């Protein structure tokens, strides 16, 4: 069962199967699950020299809703599949990297992690998977 999650692949590739749909994503792309559904995931590209490397980030719909209050309204399609894959951009990758670097500075996590999380969500909301995230934060969202 997926949770509300964003997964960024840094090396290798992965496939997620939901019913008869298969989503493939690899280095330079990310996966968004904006609904909780049963899925099957498998690493589809890895080796001893280049093992699979990815980072996952769970999020809370309330944080998205809070952020949307400050962002301009966007009109999204009526129905969206709750799973998606898109290429990353340098700003999103940099924000994820800064979040991971906090592991080496645990005394900064309580202050810096919420700010970086907010930036990551902001960049995702403005990106190609933003509609999926906006949908879960709406009162009448699916």
């Amino acid at each position: 069962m997926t949770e509300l999650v964003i997964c960024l692949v840094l090396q290798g590739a992965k496939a997620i199967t939901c019913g008869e749909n298969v989503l493939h994503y690899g280095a330079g792309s990310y996966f968004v699950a904006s609904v909780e559904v049963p899925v099957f995931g498998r690493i589809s590209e890895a080796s001893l020299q280049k093992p699979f490397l990815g980072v996952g980030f769970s999020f809370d719909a309330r944080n998205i809703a809070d952020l949307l209050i400050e962002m301009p309204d966007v009109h999204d399609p009526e129905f969206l599949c709750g799973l998606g894959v898109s290429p990353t951009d340098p700003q999103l990758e940099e924000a994820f990297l800064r979040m991971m670097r906090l592991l080496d500075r645990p005394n900064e996590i309580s202050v810096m992690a919420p700010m970086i999380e907010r930036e990551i969500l902001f960049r995702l909301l403005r990106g190609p998977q933003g509609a999926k995230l906006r949908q879960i934060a709406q009162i009448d969202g699916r």
Side-chain angles (χ1 to χ4, degrees):
M1 194 71 140
T2 68
E3 55 186 320
L4 306 177
V5 68
I6 298 120
C7 299
L8 177 71
V9 176
L10 305 170
Q11 183 173 277
K14 193 169 184 180
I16 299 289
T17 303
C18 180
E20 294 185 17
N21 300 318
V22 180
L23 295 171
H24 298 275
Y25 62 110
S29 63
Y30 65 96
F31 166 78
V32 171
S34 62
V35 294
E36 294 180 354
V37 294
V39 298
F40 174 75
R42 67 177 178 84
I43 295 171
S44 57
E45 182 182 314
S47 68
L48 290 175
Q49 296 77 25
K50 292 184 122 183
F52 177 81
L53 181 60
V55 60
F57 174 66
S58 297
F59 57 92
D60 187 330
R62 289 175 292 189
N63 293 344
I64 295 172
D66 291 345
L67 189 55
L68 285 174
I69 292 170
E70 300 176 37
M71 295 179 71
D73 285 340
V74 177
H75 299 288
D76 292 322
E78 183 62 30
F79 175 76
L80 295 168
C81 172
L83 307 175
V85 172
S86 290
T88 59
D89 62 55
Q91 293 84 14
L92 181 61
E93 288 177 357
E94 176 59 32
F96 265 95
L97 181 59
R98 282 187 276 116
M99 183 69 91
M100 290 186 300
R101 284 184 177 148
L102 287 177
L103 294 171
D104 294 328
R105 299 185 310 272
N107 60 328
E108 296 180 12
I109 291 174
S110 64
V111 174
M112 297 302 296
M115 291 189 289
I116 298 171
E117 176 182 350
R118 185 173 167 85
E119 179 186 353
I120 289 170
L121 291 174
F122 172 78
R123 299 206 178 281
L124 290 167
L125 285 165
R126 293 185 44 136
Q129 299 300 321
K132 289 176 179 52
L133 299 177
R134 285 188 291 277
Q135 196 172 50
I136 66 161
Q138 297 170 356
I139 293 171
D140 60 347
R142 298 179 194 272

